[in-house]
Each structure stands twice: as C-alpha cells, then as structure tokens.
Amino acid sequence: MVEGYSREDDQLEIKAGQTDEESKSPLAAMEKFSVTGSSRQLKEKMLADAFVMQNIAILGQWTTLYAAPNTGKTLLSLWLLREQIRAEVIDANKVFYVNADDNYRGMVTKVEIAEEFGMKMLVPNLNDFDVREIRHLMRDFARDR
C-alpha cells in the first residue's frame, strides 16, 4: 500500500451510462489510466525534453544505470552531468546525485567532484539521509511538477 493512500480514497470518474458499481470495476480503473487519444500532446511534450545526460537521461525522469561493479557508471554519469552543466542545459543547483554504493574514500572523492560543478550529492546515513526516502521524495517532485 502507498503511504497515505487507500482504495477508499480513490474516486473513479463515472462515465455516462455507467452504474456506480461499473465505475469501480478494474476495467474502469484501467480505462481511467489509458493515454490513448493523447499522442499529439505527448509528442509535443517529448520534443521539449532536455537531456540531463546526453542521450541517456531526460530532465524530470528517474534514471538508473545498471552494470557490473567498476565498469565506469559513476564516472560516466558525473562526466555527462558536468557537460550538460557546462553547456547550461541544466542548473547544477537542481542536480541531486544519490551515491549509495561507494566506500567512504570513493564517496569523499565524488563529493569533491560534485562541489566543483555545484551539484548536490546525497549519501545514505549522512545529514540524516535515509535512502528509503528517495522514492517518496521523487513521488512528491512528480506530483508538484
């Protein structure tokens, strides 16, 4: 269950000709979420997207890079972010990098890099940051956008 959410809170819109019982059916819920018919508006928004990491990550989207350890994910990410900050595509002050898989020495090195470019770095267990909160924070950002 999502925190603060219950099925009783969910009010489905009743369409013409639907009974109250039909409006609460799983089919009605699925229809409510359908984006069919909005391709033009979706395409217009897509064209306005800004890449925060060229050809990899789009502004406002959660991006996760997965690969074997020590393959360069972090260095590639930091370099791509730096390039977009330098090109003034993104505002460094609004970049929050979650470094949740580094040893202490590596974390300190990456914080120095983040400081050089003005971006923010979040590290579990430092400054009261609990990595379990990131999902809730991202949900709140999406809702407030």
Side-chain angles (χ1 to χ4, degrees), residues 65 71-79 97 99 101-102 110:
L65 302 179
T71 56
K73 299 177 297 293
T74 300
L75 293 176
L76 175 65
S77 297
L78 292 173
W79 183 79
Y97 189 96
N99 186 351
D101 68 343
D102 231 334
K110 273 99 176 182

Side-chain angles (χ1 to χ4, degrees), residues 2-19:
V2 175
E3 185 177 317
Y5 173 84
S6 69
R7 181 132 177 97
E8 292 77 35
D9 292 335
D10 191 17
Q11 298 296 318
L12 297 176
E13 187 177 313
I14 298 175
K15 293 184 180 180
Q18 276 188 330
T19 66

Side-chain angles (χ1 to χ4, degrees), residues 17 24 30 40 54 66 72 74 86 92 111 117 132 136 144:
K24 293 181 181 177
M30 294 294 282
R40 185 177 55 198
Q54 192 62 43
Y66 177 80
T74 300
R86 282 184 171 171
V111 170
F117 302 114
R132 295 174 295 186
H136 302 294
D144 294 345

